[in-house]
Amino acid sequence: MRTPKSRRILTRTRMRRRITKKTGNKQQKGKNPQADADSKPDNPESTDEKDLEKEFATWQTTEGFDATAIEKSLSPMEKYGLRFREDINPFYSVFFINEERRKMEAMEGGEEIDIEELESQKAMEERQAMEDGDLLATGIQPEDLVRQRNLYRREKARLISEKKRRKLTGENWVERIDGLTQKPFWYNEETGEAIWDIPTVVVELRAHDLARKEGWNKLPTKPLVRVMEYLVPFPDRQNCSIVSHHWRSCATDIKFVRHVYPVEMGALAREPSRMEYNHYVTMSDALAVALPGDTIELSDGHYWVNDGLIIDKPVKLVGDENNPANVVIEMSGSVLWSGKSGWIEGITFRRPKI
């Protein structure tokens, strides 16, 4: 039944007409201010509402509640507005779309579902997927689970060991040519890493192969330095340095140099547990553990010696060769050098000012 909507639309339409008519009357009355002032009611809005209600009641009594009679009494524009509101506009509202969707779901839900047919169809789809190779399936028994678990662990351990072997042997690195620069670079097939320099593991393996081919003269640096750590710097390590240029570079490796922190680097506040390898707080500590032929390096700064220095072994003290004034040993005592030989370079000894 369209009567409620029709009544609302017609009411709005009549009200707009009435307001337009009233506006025109007011404009005409505005030409005579004195007459307008005499005929101005106390409440214009309430008067307009009463007039509209009276007009609507008269129109309703004349036309009645029949939808056909109401539509016949409408103007063409009012009929178009009524048809638009009832037939066209609802299709563009979210409420109408949701209602239609609920109706469709309710209609579909009313059908009966054949569970057996669905299960058989699903079984056929799974069988077809297994035949096509898209789905893997097995009919394993519970008693075979232990064996399958052991096989899985064995295969996993094998893959891990193979990965470690490739990492240690450098097989995961391959040399390729850059397409833009036409220069060689190294690519890791497992991690996807790409570098320009030769990987460390490849360098070590090449050095190992060269040592096996050339003999002791081409022994890799790392193991050779490790062997020389067990030798006394003088004369054993010094004798090794005359074998070849390679052995000499290993005998004088920076790892064998002992370092002393200056006061400016917080030497006295450092904890022994946090000291780096071959680093010491005072010169007395470095001389106590030094071996004959060791090199003790002093950084730029000041070093306080309160009880003097006793050097009873051949050692080498090195500071700043270019400017000895940068390395200063503040002596309160004296230096007693009883070793057979030694070397001092780039160090300034002086008495502290009182």
Side-chain angles (χ1 to χ4, degrees):
M1 192 70 182
R2 298 183 180 181
T3 303
K5 287 188 177 181
S6 303
R7 291 177 60 184
R8 289 195 297 270
I9 295 172
L10 292 176
T11 302
R12 296 192 190 101
T13 305
R14 299 299 183 182
M15 289 177 67
R16 284 196 297 269
R17 289 183 177 178
R18 189 65 177 176
I19 292 172
T20 304
K21 187 183 296 184
K22 290 288 184 180
T23 305
N25 295 336
K26 288 181 180 180
Q27 292 177 355
Q28 294 178 359
K29 292 179 180 180
K31 298 178 181 179
N32 190 357
Q34 186 64 31
D36 292 344
D38 297 339
S39 61
K40 185 177 181 181
D42 296 336
N43 192 351
E45 294 181 359
S46 60
T47 305
D48 291 342
E49 292 179 358
K50 292 180 180 179
D51 294 342
L52 288 173
E53 291 177 359
K54 183 177 179 181
E55 182 180 355
F56 181 77
T58 305
W59 174 82
Q60 187 178 21
T61 303
T62 305
E63 301 296 336
F65 291 94
D66 186 17
T68 305
I70 293 176
E71 290 183 0
K72 290 181 178 180
S73 64
L74 297 177
S75 64
M77 290 299 297
E78 291 174 348
K79 291 180 180 179
Y80 174 79
L82 179 62
R83 188 178 66 83
F84 182 86
R85 294 287 297 178
E86 292 183 346
D87 299 338
I88 300 176
N89 190 53
F91 290 98
Y92 296 92
S93 63
V94 179
F95 175 80
F96 177 80
I97 296 173
N98 293 335
E99 286 295 325
E100 291 295 326
R101 186 179 300 163
R102 293 192 189 97
K103 291 179 181 179
M104 295 296 296
E105 291 177 355
M107 293 175 61
E108 293 177 358
E111 299 179 357
E112 296 183 359
I113 300 176
D114 192 350
I115 299 178
E116 295 181 357
E117 183 180 356
L118 291 177
E119 290 181 352
S120 60
Q121 184 179 0
K122 183 178 179 181
M124 292 178 60
E125 292 177 356
E126 292 179 353
R127 191 179 304 108
Q128 184 65 30
M130 287 186 289
E131 293 177 357
D132 297 340
D134 298 334
L135 180 64
L136 298 179
T138 178
I140 189 171
Q141 300 298 325
E143 56 271 13
D144 296 334
L145 291 177
V146 178
R147 176 174 172 273
Q148 295 292 334
R149 188 183 300 111
N150 294 335
L151 291 175
Y152 167 76
R153 291 176 178 174
R154 186 187 308 170
E155 182 66 16
K156 183 178 179 181
R158 187 189 68 80
L159 294 176
I160 293 175
S161 62
E162 181 67 17
K163 184 177 180 180
K164 290 182 178 179
R165 185 192 65 80
R166 289 173 54 83
K167 183 178 180 180
L168 293 175
T169 58
E171 295 180 3
N172 53 350
W173 288 98
V174 294
E175 189 176 6
R176 296 183 178 179
I177 303 298
D178 183 42
L180 184 62
T181 61
Q182 298 300 320
K183 294 182 178 180
F185 70 97
W186 290 86
Y187 177 74
N188 194 320
E189 294 180 338
E190 294 184 357
T191 62
E193 181 183 3
I195 56 176
W196 292 106
D197 299 331
I198 302 176
T200 304
V201 61
V202 177
V203 174
E204 294 177 353
L205 290 173
R206 288 181 178 180
H208 178 72
D209 295 339
L210 183 62
R212 296 187 62 179
K213 181 180 180 181
E214 300 292 338
W216 290 96
N217 191 32
K218 297 296 183 179
L219 194 66
T221 302
K222 188 174 181 180
L224 186 57
V225 171
R226 182 63 176 171
V227 171
M228 289 186 179
E229 287 181 359
Y230 297 95
L231 302 178
V232 179
F234 179 81
D236 298 339
R237 197 181 297 162
Q238 185 177 1
N239 293 334
C240 291
S241 63
I242 63 178
V243 174
S244 64
H245 179 74
H246 177 60
W247 281 50
R248 179 179 177 82
S249 62
C250 293
T252 57
D253 190 78
I254 190 65
K255 188 176 183 180
F256 300 132
V257 179
R258 303 181 187 274
H259 304 268
V260 181
Y261 289 113
V263 177
E264 286 80 359
M265 295 182 65
L268 302 179
R270 290 180 178 270
E271 298 181 4
S273 60
R274 297 185 178 181
M275 300 290 290
E276 298 180 5
Y277 178 73
N278 270 352
H279 283 68
Y280 305 93
V281 175
T282 62
M283 292 190 63
S284 300
D285 296 341
L287 289 171
V289 298
L291 298 174
D294 268 341
T295 300
I296 300 176
E297 186 180 40
L298 306 180
S299 303
D300 293 353
H302 293 77
Y303 299 85
W304 294 88
V305 179
N306 298 325
D307 300 332
L309 287 177
I310 299 176
I311 305 174
D312 56 355
K313 60 193 75 173
V315 294
K316 184 177 181 180
L317 301 179
V318 180
D320 190 348
E321 300 89 343
N322 298 323
N323 189 3
N326 293 333
V327 182
V328 180
I329 298 179
E330 304 287 352
M331 296 291 300
S332 296
S334 59
V335 178
L336 177 60
W337 197 299
S338 60
K340 294 182 179 180
S341 61
W343 182 277
I344 297 178
E345 181 182 5
I347 300 176
T348 299
F349 290 87
R350 72 181 183 186
R351 298 290 181 180
K353 296 180 181 181
I354 301 177

